[in-house]
């Protein structure tokens, strides 16, 4: 792709924008999947997929102090240090920015998560930079009242009470039961110790139909 046909711009919610005068040679977009690692009794570790992480977009370029038609996109160049100060202000802020790269599908809300700057000998006034953005996902923090609910002045608990007993189902393990009923698979040993007389000496051998008592 010819980078000269691309424009890189950042804009905040107040209408302040920055058009990068020199196109990066490449843009890296990183996509990762998140996993929860659980430990199976006597079976080692198992990765359970949890979803897709926030994407990271990274590129490097520089702010030139003097216009050069061979690589500059426009003549009215921003002062390199002023441009870097603006990036730093945005990074310290809490509001997302809109990153647009024309000629691509990149037109997203992002947070500037990191930037590095450097200077090179023989290029007075030029500021080189590396930028890393994380795509923005809107969220809402619920108040305690919203989480618990209210009716007639009385609050409704947000969690279900733990059952006093649990009947083992096919495919169950002590870890999965502890995860489901006690909130953490790491409590399988508490579950086992409280039901050793029912389970026997091997915690891996639980039988469908067994009635297990849930620990407090």
């Amino acid at each position: 792709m010819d980078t000269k046909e691309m424009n890189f711009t950042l804009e905040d919610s107040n209408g302040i924008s920055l058009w990068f005068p020199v196109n990066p040679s490449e843009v890296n977009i990183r996509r990762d999947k998140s996993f929860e690692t659980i430990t199976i009794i006597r079976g080692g570790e198992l990765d359970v997929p949890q979803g897709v992480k926030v994407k990271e977009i990274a590129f490097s370029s520089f702010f030139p102090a003097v216009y050069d038609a061979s690589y500059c996109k426009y003549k009215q160049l921003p002062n390199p240090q002023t441009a870097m100060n603006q990036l730093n202000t945005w990074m310290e802020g809490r509001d997302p920015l809109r990153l647009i790269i024309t000629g691509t599908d990149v037109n997203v809300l992002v947070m500037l998560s990191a930037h590095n700057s450097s200077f090179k000998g023989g290029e007075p006034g030029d500021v080189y930079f590396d930028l890393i953005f994380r795509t923005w996902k809107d969220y809402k923090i619920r108040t305690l009242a919203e989480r618990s609910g209210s009716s007639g002045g009385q609050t409704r608990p947000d969690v279900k009470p733990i059952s006093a007993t649990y009947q083992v189902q096919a495919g169950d393990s002590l870890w999965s039961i502890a995860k489901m009923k006690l909130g953490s698979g790491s409590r399988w040993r508490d579950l086992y110790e409280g039901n050793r007389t029912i389970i026997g000496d091997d915690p891996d051998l639980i039988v469908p139909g067994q009635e297990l008592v849930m620990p407090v």
Side-chain angles (χ1 to χ4, degrees), residues 41 189 215:
I41 304 170
R189 190 172 294 279

Side-chain angles (χ1 to χ4, degrees), residues 63 79-88 115-117 127 129:
F63 291 110
N79 177 277
Q81 195 56 57
T82 300
M84 293 305 298
N85 290 342
Q86 181 61 63
L87 289 173
N88 193 58
H115 79 76
N116 299 316
S117 59
V127 180
F129 61 82

Side-chain angles (χ1 to χ4, degrees), residues 54-137:
V54 172
K55 287 189 295 188
E56 285 190 349
I57 303 173
F59 58 82
S60 303
S61 186
F62 73 102
F63 291 110
V66 178
Y67 174 76
D68 187 320
S70 65
Y71 53 77
C72 291
K73 299 287 293 182
Y74 53 90
K75 291 184 178 181
Q76 299 299 319
L77 301 176
N79 177 277
Q81 195 56 57
T82 300
M84 293 305 298
N85 290 342
Q86 181 61 63
L87 289 173
N88 193 58
T89 297
W90 280 335
M91 188 177 72
E92 294 176 351
R94 301 177 64 88
D95 296 325
L97 309 168
R98 182 161 294 279
L99 173 63
I100 301 174
I101 306 176
T102 60
T104 75
D105 292 332
V106 178
N107 185 339
V108 292
L109 291 177
V110 297
M111 295 295 291
L112 176 56
S113 63
H115 79 76
N116 299 316
S117 59
S118 60
F119 307 93
K120 296 185 178 182
E123 301 180 33
D126 293 352
V127 180
Y128 287 76
F129 61 82
D130 305 302
L131 303 179
I132 299 177
F133 302 92
R134 290 171 61 84
T135 51
W136 168 266
K137 287 187 177 181

Side-chain angles (χ1 to χ4, degrees), residues 140-149 158:
K140 179 182 179 182
I141 299 176
R142 293 187 298 166
T143 65
L144 183 60
E146 290 174 327
R147 292 185 61 191
S148 62
D158 192 48

Side-chain angles (χ1 to χ4, degrees), residues 44-55:
E45 292 185 341
L46 174 67
D47 282 337
V48 179
Q50 297 295 306
V52 178
K53 291 183 179 180
V54 172
K55 287 189 295 188

